[in-house]
Amino acid sequence: MSRALWRRSSGVVALSGLVVLGATATVLAFGVERANDRRLEAQTLDQAAERLSLDLRSSLSALRGMSALAVDGSVDAAEFAAFGAEVRRASAFVGLAYGDIIDGGDRAAWEARTGYGIRDTDGAGGFTAAAIRDRYVPVRLVDPANDTTRSVLGFDVTSDPVRRDGERQAFVSVDPVIVGPIRLATSGRPGLYVILAVRDPGGRPIGAVSSGLTASTLIENLADIPGIATDRVTLLVDGEVVVDGHQSGERRVFDAGGREITLIARDQRGTPFAVLPFVVLGATIALAAAAGLFADRDRRDRTAAREEAERRVRLAALADDLATATDPRSVVRVAAARAGAVLGADHTNVGVVDPTDPGKLVVVHDPTMDGGLGELFAVQAIDARLPLTDCVRTVRPVVVASRDAYAEAYPAVLGEVDRAGIQAVVCAPLQGSLADGAIGVVGFAWRWLLRSREVVSVGRAVAEVAEVLGRALERALGREAVELGMQRLREFTADLASAKTLVDVQDTVSEQLPVLFGVRAVTVESVAPGGAPVAGRHFPVYDDPAVSVVLAVHADDGAWTPAHDDLMATVAGLVQHAWRRARQHEQERGVLLRLQATLLTPAPPPRHVALDVRYVAALDMVGLGGDWYSIVERPDATFLVIGDIAGHGPEAVAVMAEVKSLLRHVLDRGATMEHAIEEADACLRRRGTYASATLVEIPLHEPVLHYLNAGHPYPMVRTPTGVELLTDSHRPWLGFPAQSRPPSTRPFEPGELLLLYTDGLVERRDRSIDDGIDAVARTLATTPPEELFDTLLAGRTLRLDTGYVDDDVALVSALRLPDRPTR
């Protein structure tokens, strides 16, 4: 063989070898790309299923706080609108509907009250008049309220078998229920129907919140996943086709709301075939190297995708846990204990701006925090230079990726951080849908530094956790604020109901309403006709020809909303009733005071005894009572009478006036004490009431006294040797059938002092009557006559918390004078 032929033959062989190698490399490359295509398709389907699962679980979780709106047994439009805005922001729902539970017999009343006729769906996006049924759940509230959503007002969600089955399941479950597929009421498009029973604080269903998830909308939410063509996705619920993308093959199945959801999709990016018909060995080696690099990148992508999917599962679990936390403290405890697991952080700190002092941040640290940081930083001033407070103050994330960065930004606390072993910190503000600033902050700490390529992904993940936590905290703060407001309103209503005077009403309003409404001041103001207007917002309370009474509200800009107007109008009605009642009470009391003043006359000038009298009325909230005294002078003797009619108010005063006049009349006409007391007894029996009384006769020229006691506190006599109680009891209370005993007689020498009193002087809640009598006796023994009454009454007060029984007090004293020489 010639050298040239050999060279050609060798070239052919080499070229053939290169061709074979190139073809082999091409086939291998095609096989690798096909395998990679299958992996991409599996990854795409995993991401799509995870996204759809998260959308459904987040939507269901967002509904769970609905029962917090029913703490007072009902759901109003303002509360539902605020709740709906939050739910729509955190879910795939585009609108919500709330329906009341109505018995069939209450249908007409409900339609008249709401103005909506109860209707059934016609199955094609329209409505017909509802059939007669025993029970309805008609829609009363929608959010957002627009022309499309208002079309479902009055729609009975139990009007077709699918929705009725969902309603039946919802009212035996505490979780939202998914049913379908179904054609949605407003659009007639296919989708899923979600319903949750709304329960009052006792757990009784009072209504249902529901919405539809349009199937096409759920699929469109997958459009940003690489390789997904939304028109080529098939979706099944419990094996029934909801969206038909004409796809078959690999599928993903998961559970949501008690339903089996199946998703079928293919990666639509196509397979980039490597056409290498004539590849030399060097190209094959380069292809092998490129394949190695691609495999490494693919491994990293798959690892990142797996970690992202796991993080989203943990985030959804955290959202479920937070949905069960009903108050801010529970939300913070759940977040501090479990939020770190979403990010793989070593420590979690959650701070809430103190609602009573916005200058403070109250922080809860997870139990694993070392170095005493939990106690040291439990309360932080908002203006302090710390990561959490900086985040709240600026309402922006704070990222400290290493210890060196921490030393530069926060050198004052570097020692405490080193003791806890912390290398990196990331904080994010917690914001609500209604507040302009931050309502709190969540911070995560790691024992290792964050590499630059990790900062962006960690920051994004922290922001997602902060969004979920912020919604939960806002919901809990809102519920706590509603419960606190309801408690304050109940206390205000109770205090207002017990207010007896106009001053009481004014004090109750000015002390309690500013706190209840969060304003600077609320006052009760009177405006004369033609007078200058009172500053502030006005709510009418009371009108008469002489004066108008209004509630004047002084509020800062932005602190007052239309909802405040509605509530204050209701409060003004309560104040109006209290004002009229107090005004009538004061008028009646004035009449009774004037009547008593005419009946309780001053003591006469001294004759053979020096007399003194005193009367103190009961507290305003009790009313005037039936205590009385009387002094009757005859030529031969002076008669002292003291008594107490059972009860208080106008009837007691009227009976007191009648009995007093009767006794004065019969004694003036010369009757004995026995006869006088029998007349009083007969009068009280005719009236059907009772009284205690003591009658004393002091002869003009005889140093004795005669007395009769009908169930009244014992008279006292101060003698040179002490105080003597006249303990003889001659009969029970007047008005009870009883047989009287004759009067008792004792010496009454010059210089001795007689004291008569009613039980209001000796009764206290914190001691027995006997102790009260002993205390009065001690005072009588040591006090000059001219100071006696002031000393006895000095301990009494118009305050309720001093122990004294709120009762009238009547006092009569008689000092026996030396006999005057006769001419």
Side-chain angles (χ1 to χ4, degrees), residues 642-671:
I642 194 165
D644 185 1
I645 303 294
H648 290 85
E651 292 185 2
V653 174
V655 173
M656 178 268 284
E658 182 177 354
V659 172
K660 178 181 177 180
S661 299
L662 174 64
L663 288 171
R664 173 174 287 278
H665 174 71
V666 296
L667 290 172
D668 271 340
R669 293 176 62 87

Side-chain angles (χ1 to χ4, degrees), residues 69 106 147 154 182 249 340 386 397 400 470 539 585 609 644 651 655 823:
L69 304 185
D106 297 332
D147 292 339
I182 192 172
L386 295 167
V400 186
F539 296 86
H585 172 82
V609 287
D644 185 1
E651 292 185 2
V655 173
R823 295 182 180 179

Side-chain angles (χ1 to χ4, degrees), residues 7 27 67 121 205 217 223 271 316 390 406 541 561 693 757 806-807:
R7 286 199 298 268
V27 172
S67 289
T121 178
T217 301
T271 303
D390 282 358
Y406 211 114
V541 171
T561 66
Y757 53 92
D806 312 316
D807 200 0

Side-chain angles (χ1 to χ4, degrees), residues 144-181:
N146 52 44
D147 292 339
T148 299
T149 58
R150 291 191 186 97
S151 66
V152 302
L153 292 172
F155 167 51
D156 179 18
V157 300
T158 65
S159 61
D160 70 81
V162 176
R163 290 183 177 86
R164 187 161 54 250
D165 181 60
E167 181 257 356
R168 178 185 57 78
Q169 296 179 48
F171 286 110
V172 297
S173 172
V174 297
D175 295 318
V177 172
I178 295 178
V179 294

Side-chain angles (χ1 to χ4, degrees), residues 41-165:
E41 189 167 76
Q43 292 174 11
T44 299
L45 191 54
D46 286 340
Q47 293 181 36
E50 179 60 28
R51 175 73 60 80
L52 181 60
S53 173
L54 182 61
D55 285 347
L56 291 175
R57 293 178 64 182
S58 298
S59 299
L60 297 179
S61 295
L63 282 184
R64 288 193 174 98
M66 180 65 188
S67 289
L69 304 185
V71 294
D72 57 353
S74 64
V75 176
D76 65 33
E79 293 173 335
F80 185 74
F83 177 80
E86 179 183 351
V87 169
R88 287 187 285 107
R89 187 166 63 86
S91 68
F93 298 125
V94 296
L96 294 179
Y98 173 75
D100 299 311
I101 300 175
I102 305 297
D103 291 331
D106 297 332
R107 173 177 177 173
W110 187 91
E111 290 178 333
R113 184 172 69 254
T114 62
Y116 310 137
I118 299 180
R119 300 171 296 161
D120 292 348
T121 178
D122 62 6
F127 302 96
T128 61
I132 302 300
R133 288 189 289 275
D134 293 335
R135 185 169 175 270
Y136 304 90
V137 184
V139 174
R140 176 167 60 86
L141 300 172
V142 294
D143 178 77
N146 52 44
D147 292 339
T148 299
T149 58
R150 291 191 186 97
S151 66
V152 302
L153 292 172
F155 167 51
D156 179 18
V157 300
T158 65
S159 61
D160 70 81
V162 176
R163 290 183 177 86
R164 187 161 54 250
D165 181 60

Side-chain angles (χ1 to χ4, degrees), residues 55-56 133 154-155 229 306 373 391 442 460 661 728 746 751 819:
D55 285 347
L56 291 175
R133 288 189 289 275
F155 167 51
R306 183 179 67 255
L373 297 186
C391 183
V442 61
R460 184 171 60 249
S661 299
D728 286 345
R746 77 170 301 279
D819 291 336

Side-chain angles (χ1 to χ4, degrees), residues 632-696:
V632 179
E633 289 192 308
R634 293 202 315 219
D636 59 338
T638 297
F639 291 86
L640 310 180
V641 183
I642 194 165
D644 185 1
I645 303 294
H648 290 85
E651 292 185 2
V653 174
V655 173
M656 178 268 284
E658 182 177 354
V659 172
K660 178 181 177 180
S661 299
L662 174 64
L663 288 171
R664 173 174 287 278
H665 174 71
V666 296
L667 290 172
D668 271 340
R669 293 176 62 87
T672 63
M673 287 193 298
E674 298 96 313
H675 177 69
I677 209 157
E678 291 301 328
E679 290 289 338
D681 177 69
C683 173
L684 289 166
R685 274 189 279 171
R686 287 195 301 272
R687 285 297 202 107
T689 188
Y690 314 98
S692 67
T694 295
L695 279 69
V696 178

Side-chain angles (χ1 to χ4, degrees), residues 200-213:
D200 63 17
R204 182 179 63 87
I206 62 170
V209 59
S210 59
S211 185
L213 292 172

